[in-house]
């Protein structure tokens, strides 16, 4: 199944690249492309086999996401968000999980991790109001969730043992959520990451879950430490965007391109060859780091979950480093391409905007590098909470 999935995705990439400007202009994936991505199996790749999915391993999923982002950054991002659906739904009860997937494996959830809503305790559930930003793919989602501060009589419920106030995610059918058109941005324009709003809606307790300390109802390594796996998915998208820029640059140089006032074609410039060679190796290094961490995490999820907390500092630090390498590689290509790269029609300009928008994600912030530094200095206290509330700022 993994081979068939990768083959189907690779067959789609020429069309995705050809329609990248359309995707950006529409500010979301066109319906026919979504249908083809579903048919290829992109949104069921992590779904359990007994629910009609492929249940691929972490490395295979990352290869799919990199391939899609290499063709078009917005497509890679959108599929990443939708494909992570079963990881989130697995935090519900098994009965609820089975019921949602009863109609088929291609379920898509959108939503937001930041607790931008309030959930007031009510009989049998919660009364929910909130507005959540950056809900990628919300217009084609089947379900939408929002993380909320849990309240009683209007006051936040304190966390246990001095922890931050209690939060919980509320899941609603997409039809009960209002999408507010807010996605007018620098890059990743085709992801449709609009705001979503819920106004005083009841959410039954069985449709709620804990993003950070919840226990998955589905067995298997793919459902252990899901937030750590999400970080590696993000890294694969960043590498795909950077590799796409390198592809665009080498294609541009096929006709002995020579910049104005230059003495020789760019491809013959020793200085440019150094810069391009460095960019290529940096992207390769980023890909190799992610693969190495993915193998370590998958092995721990499958055989030794107690080892996962020790891997988390390096995994969280890897994404900002990978993002830095991706930005540098894209910038090398963009600068070398000359004035034409400044045009909206330039794929390199789109890559440049996409990777800089990607870099604004909270999980790619430079501060995460400090986790790895603290690990090296022996200044971290590990907890048996897989990628715990330290990542709760992700949007």
């Amino acid at each position: 199944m993994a081979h068939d999935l990768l083959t189907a995705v690779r067959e789609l990439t020429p069309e995705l690249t050809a329609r990248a400007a359309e995707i950006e202009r529409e500010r979301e994936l066109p319906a026919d492309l979504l249908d083809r991505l579903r048919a290829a199996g992109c949104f069921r790749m992590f779904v359990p086999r007994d629910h009609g999915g492929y249940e691929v391993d972490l490395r295979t999923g990352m290869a799919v996401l990199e391939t899609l982002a290499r063709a078009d950054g917005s497509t890679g991002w959108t599929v990443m968000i939708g494909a992570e659906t079963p990881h989130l739904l697995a935090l519900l009860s098994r009965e609820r999980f089975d019921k949602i997937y009863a109609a088929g494996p291609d379920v898509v959830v959108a939503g937001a991790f930041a607790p931008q809503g309030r959930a007031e305790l009510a009989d049998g559930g919660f009364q929910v109001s909130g507005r959540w930003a950056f809900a990628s793919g919300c217009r084609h989602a089947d379900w939408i969730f929002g993380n909320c501060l849990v309240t009683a009589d209007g006051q936040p419920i304190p966390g246990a043992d001095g922890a931050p106030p209690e939060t919980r995610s509320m899941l609603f059918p997409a039809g009960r959520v209002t999408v507010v058109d807010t996605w007018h941005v620098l890059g990743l324009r085709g992801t449709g990451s609009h705001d979503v709003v819920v106004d005083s809606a009841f959410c039954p307790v069985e449709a709620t879950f804990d993003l950070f300390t919840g226990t998955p109802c589905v067995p298997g390594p793919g459902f252990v430490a899901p937030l750590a796996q999400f970080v590696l998915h993000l890294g694969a998208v960043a590498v795909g965007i950077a590799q796409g820029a390198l592809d665009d640059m080498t294609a541009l140089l096929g006709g002995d391109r020579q910049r104005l006032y230059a003495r020789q074609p760019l491809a013959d410039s020793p200085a440019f060859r150094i810069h391009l060679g460095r960019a290529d190796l940096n992207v390769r290094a980023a890909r190799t780091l992610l693969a190495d961490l993915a193998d370590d995490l998958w092995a721990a999820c499958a055989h030794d979950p107690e080892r996962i907390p020790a891997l988390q500092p390096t995994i969280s630090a890897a994404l900002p480093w990978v993002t830095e390498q991706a930005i540098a590689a894209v910038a090398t290509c963009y600068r070398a391409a000359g004035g034409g790269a400044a045009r909206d029609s330039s794929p390199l300009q789109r890559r440049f905007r996409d990777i800089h928008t990607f870099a604004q994600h909270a999980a790619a912030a430079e501060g995460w590098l400090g986790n790895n530094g603290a690990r090296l200095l022996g200044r971290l206290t590990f907890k048996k909470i897989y990628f715990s509330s330290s990542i709760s700022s992700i949007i």
Side-chain angles (χ1 to χ4, degrees):
M1 285 186 179
H3 173 76
D4 293 344
L5 173 61
L6 279 166
T7 299
V9 166
R10 287 168 181 152
E11 289 174 351
L12 273 176
T13 55
E15 182 177 0
L16 294 173
T17 299
R19 297 179 67 180
E22 176 192 353
I23 292 168
E24 183 168 77
R25 184 173 60 252
E26 296 296 320
R27 296 185 297 127
E28 61 186 7
L29 299 190
D32 66 306
L33 281 182
L34 280 167
D35 288 342
R36 295 184 66 187
L37 290 164
R38 285 192 194 95
C42 291
F43 295 114
R44 74 184 74 158
M45 63 177 169
F46 296 125
V47 174
R49 292 187 187 90
D50 57 9
H51 288 71
Y54 296 160
E55 201 172 347
V56 301
D57 60 82
L58 178 56
R59 284 281 298 276
T60 299
M62 290 166 62
V64 169
L65 295 174
E66 180 185 338
T67 300
L68 290 170
R70 184 175 181 175
D72 173 61
S74 289
T75 301
W77 182 280
T78 302
V79 169
M80 174 189 70
I81 297 297
E84 289 167 351
T85 289
H87 301 86
L88 298 172
L89 295 181
L91 297 173
L92 300 167
S93 70
R94 182 57 186 260
E95 180 182 6
R96 188 77 172 180
F97 183 90
D98 292 345
K99 184 176 181 180
I100 290 175
Y101 277 106
D106 295 320
V107 180
V108 172
V109 170
F113 283 26
Q116 296 171 317
R118 287 195 167 230
E120 175 74 12
L121 288 174
D123 186 24
F126 303 86
Q127 202 68 25
V128 181
S129 293
R131 178 167 177 157
W132 296 267
F134 308 112
S136 301
C138 55
R139 288 199 187 278
H140 66 259
D142 304 296
W143 297 83
I144 295 177
F145 79 96
N147 203 24
C148 293
L149 191 67
V150 179
T151 62
D153 297 324
Q155 298 302 311
I157 298 177
D161 301 322
E166 184 178 339
T167 62
R168 197 161 184 83
S169 290
M170 308 287 144
L171 183 68
F172 293 95
R176 293 183 61 196
V177 177
T178 300
V179 175
V180 183
D181 189 334
T182 56
W183 194 239
H184 302 274
V185 288
L186 177 70
L188 294 175
R189 293 177 178 173
T191 64
S193 302
H194 303 288
D195 288 10
V196 291
V197 176
V198 171
D199 185 15
S200 193
F202 179 74
C203 184
V205 68
E206 62 266 23
T208 73
F209 56 91
D210 189 326
L211 270 172
F212 306 111
T213 62
T215 301
C217 68
V218 179
F223 295 92
V224 180
L227 297 182
Q229 296 192 39
F230 292 176
V231 170
L232 297 174
H233 296 167
L234 283 161
V237 171
V239 168
I241 294 171
Q243 185 63 56
L246 291 169
D247 296 342
D248 293 340
M249 190 72 243
T250 53
L252 189 64
L253 296 180
D256 286 334
R257 180 180 180 83
Q258 187 167 339
R259 293 189 65 176
L260 186 64
Y261 308 126
R263 296 180 178 179
Q264 61 189 158
L266 190 58
D268 294 332
S269 164
F272 172 70
R273 289 177 178 179
I274 289 172
H275 292 310
L276 186 65
R278 179 181 292 112
D280 173 70
L281 293 176
N282 285 345
V283 172
R284 289 171 180 264
R287 182 184 295 113
T288 300
L289 172 63
L290 292 172
D292 185 60
L293 291 172
D295 288 344
D296 282 351
L297 179 61
W298 191 259
C301 289
H303 306 296
D304 189 10
E306 296 292 333
R307 195 165 63 87
I308 293 172
L311 299 174
Q312 292 167 355
T314 307
I315 291 172
S316 65
L319 184 60
W321 183 83
V322 166
T323 304
E324 288 174 0
Q325 309 317 307
I327 287 173
V330 175
T332 292
C333 298
Y334 179 79
R335 286 197 303 267
R343 298 182 184 278
D344 285 346
S345 58
S346 168
L348 279 171
Q349 192 227 57
R350 184 165 51 250
R351 307 280 191 187
F352 185 86
R353 290 186 285 101
D354 284 351
I355 197 60
H356 279 86
T357 301
F358 179 103
Q360 298 304 108
H361 195 284
E366 184 181 45
W368 294 103
L369 291 164
N371 283 3
N372 200 42
R375 178 189 66 83
L376 293 170
L377 295 169
R379 298 297 180 91
L380 280 179
T381 301
F382 300 127
K383 297 180 180 179
K384 192 181 176 182
I385 298 176
Y386 303 150
F387 230 59
S388 63
S389 58
S390 62
I391 200 169
S392 63
S393 63
I394 289 182
I395 54 176

